[in-house]
Amino acid sequence: MNHIVKFFPIVFGVLLAVLLLLTFQSTFKNPFFSMKEGKPQEELSYHFAFYLPDSDYSFTENFKKGVIEAGEALKCGITFHSIEEEPLSLEMAAYSGIDGIAIYPFQKSSNILEYVNKIIDEGIPVVQIENEIIRNENSFQIGTNYFETGKAIGNMALILNEDKINIAIIYSDKTPGLSSDNNLIEMGIINVLGTRAGTLTTKRTSLNPLDAERLTYELLRESNNIDVIVLTDPNDTLVTVQAIIDMNMVGSVQIIGSGDAPKIKEYIEKGVILGSIVRNPYRIGFSSVMALREINLIGYTSAYVDTGISVITKRSKE
């Protein structure tokens, strides 16, 4: 027994050292604590949480860059969460004491509506990225104007020498935000085409990266009068182009793509793709942090921020 008692101080000392080490690590992982080149910096003023979908990879990657750089510039702590895999995290956000929430509500589920309303009721500012599912004086929308996106697509399609322009739009589970407001895109297209608007067919691809190839074959077999195929995902754009090339239909069917990947620009230069619509996820991310910080500092910010789009065509490259 005496031997065991002799080891108590040693065991106690080891446990205390472990506890101190964990506390030390926790401090440096705290979202309100900034560290650069191993040296502690000043504490961060605000902590904002971002809830994003797991898909839409090309968007979220650049969006996060904008968020992180804005957080560093404005001295704000940032955490990212999955809106799909961490529903409990969003549910408890109203009680977290956090200074602001940004959410990419790509689907209008009853749970998300309930959680966001609860967050707003607690007085926590909410930025809705790309899509607005709730209108409230304590909530703000930042992102792409999808009606203007549709108008840009329509303007590109107008160069076709057709009395009626038949368009097929392929939405995708890989870019869920775009398809959630598809009616605005389609309204914008019809607004520009006017009397030249023909049939408007809509399809949807899954998360499968090759699904667009299958869908393109099916689409062109079902109908031989499609003039333009519009893609809403960069990967689907490249896959569809390859299918059109394999079918020897380059020029017979025009393609309006999505994104500004080097290969997409190359196809535009070669005339294989008519043009491409490019959202600005970096600016959306940066603006989201700015808006949340502004509402915390002065009590208000712009109710809606349109971050715009870029249109890439062969003419714009020349």
Side-chain angles (χ1 to χ4, degrees), residues 8 20 57 79 172 174 194 211 218 230 285:
F8 276 170
L20 289 173
Y57 307 112
T79 54
S172 177
K174 294 181 282 293
D211 200 25
E218 289 180 2
V230 178

Side-chain angles (χ1 to χ4, degrees), residues 192-245:
V192 169
L193 295 183
T195 57
R196 294 180 64 187
T199 59
L200 187 59
T201 306
T202 61
K203 298 287 185 178
R204 190 181 187 92
T205 60
S206 68
L207 294 177
N208 186 331
L210 298 178
D211 200 25
E213 180 182 27
R214 174 194 59 79
L215 192 55
T216 301
Y217 282 116
E218 289 180 2
L219 193 61
L220 295 177
R221 286 194 189 107
E222 290 172 6
S223 175
N224 58 3
N225 67 342
I226 292 175
D227 301 302
V228 182
I229 297 178
V230 178
L231 288 310
T232 60
D233 174 73
N235 180 76
D236 284 358
T237 300
L238 294 173
V239 172
T240 298
V241 168
Q242 190 57 54
I244 294 295
I245 292 172

Side-chain angles (χ1 to χ4, degrees), residues 8-224:
F8 276 170
I10 298 174
V11 174
F12 181 81
V14 171
L15 290 174
L16 182 61
V18 171
L19 180 61
L20 289 173
L21 178 61
L22 291 174
T23 303
F24 181 82
Q25 288 179 331
S26 175
T27 301
F28 280 82
K29 288 179 180 178
N30 191 304
F32 290 94
F33 194 87
S34 174
M35 191 161 183
K36 190 175 183 180
E37 296 180 356
K39 298 179 181 179
Q41 305 294 314
E42 69 274 18
E43 288 189 356
L44 302 176
S45 304
Y46 302 105
H47 179 203
F48 305 133
F50 285 73
Y51 291 85
L52 308 172
D54 294 332
S55 52
D56 213 347
Y57 307 112
S58 60
F59 179 92
T60 53
E61 181 181 356
N62 289 305
F63 175 85
K64 285 181 178 180
K65 287 180 182 177
V67 171
I68 290 168
E69 291 193 15
E72 291 175 350
L74 302 175
K75 297 180 174 60
C76 299
I78 304 294
T79 54
F80 294 104
H81 307 269
S82 167
I83 193 173
E84 298 167 85
E85 298 298 329
E86 301 179 54
L88 183 61
S89 177
L90 182 61
E91 181 181 5
M92 300 306 295
Y95 314 107
S96 65
I98 205 157
D99 298 300
I101 298 286
I103 180 173
Y104 192 155
F106 66 94
Q107 57 184 358
K108 296 180 180 179
S109 77
S110 57
N111 283 343
I112 290 177
L113 286 168
E114 178 187 348
Y115 300 155
V116 173
N117 272 317
K118 193 178 295 183
I119 292 166
I120 292 172
D121 289 343
E122 290 297 320
I124 299 172
V126 174
V127 164
Q128 298 178 71
I129 303 159
E130 291 284 68
N131 306 301
E132 186 179 57
I133 59 172
I134 293 174
R135 290 196 175 183
N136 186 285
E137 61 181 14
N138 203 34
S139 181
F140 318 92
Q141 184 186 1
I142 295 176
T144 308
N145 186 318
Y146 289 132
F147 182 74
E148 293 298 322
T149 300
K151 288 174 64 177
I153 293 168
N155 281 319
M156 279 192 278
L158 276 177
I159 73 168
L160 273 67
N161 188 25
E162 302 286 347
D163 293 332
K164 292 290 183 182
I165 301 173
N166 302 310
I167 296 177
I169 305 177
I170 299 180
Y171 297 107
S172 177
D173 288 342
K174 294 181 282 293
T175 51
L178 279 170
S179 55
S180 65
D181 261 341
N182 56 353
N183 59 318
L184 291 177
I185 295 175
E186 292 155 25
M187 285 171 58
I189 293 172
I190 294 170
N191 178 268
V192 169
L193 295 183
T195 57
R196 294 180 64 187
T199 59
L200 187 59
T201 306
T202 61
K203 298 287 185 178
R204 190 181 187 92
T205 60
S206 68
L207 294 177
N208 186 331
L210 298 178
D211 200 25
E213 180 182 27
R214 174 194 59 79
L215 192 55
T216 301
Y217 282 116
E218 289 180 2
L219 193 61
L220 295 177
R221 286 194 189 107
E222 290 172 6
S223 175
N224 58 3

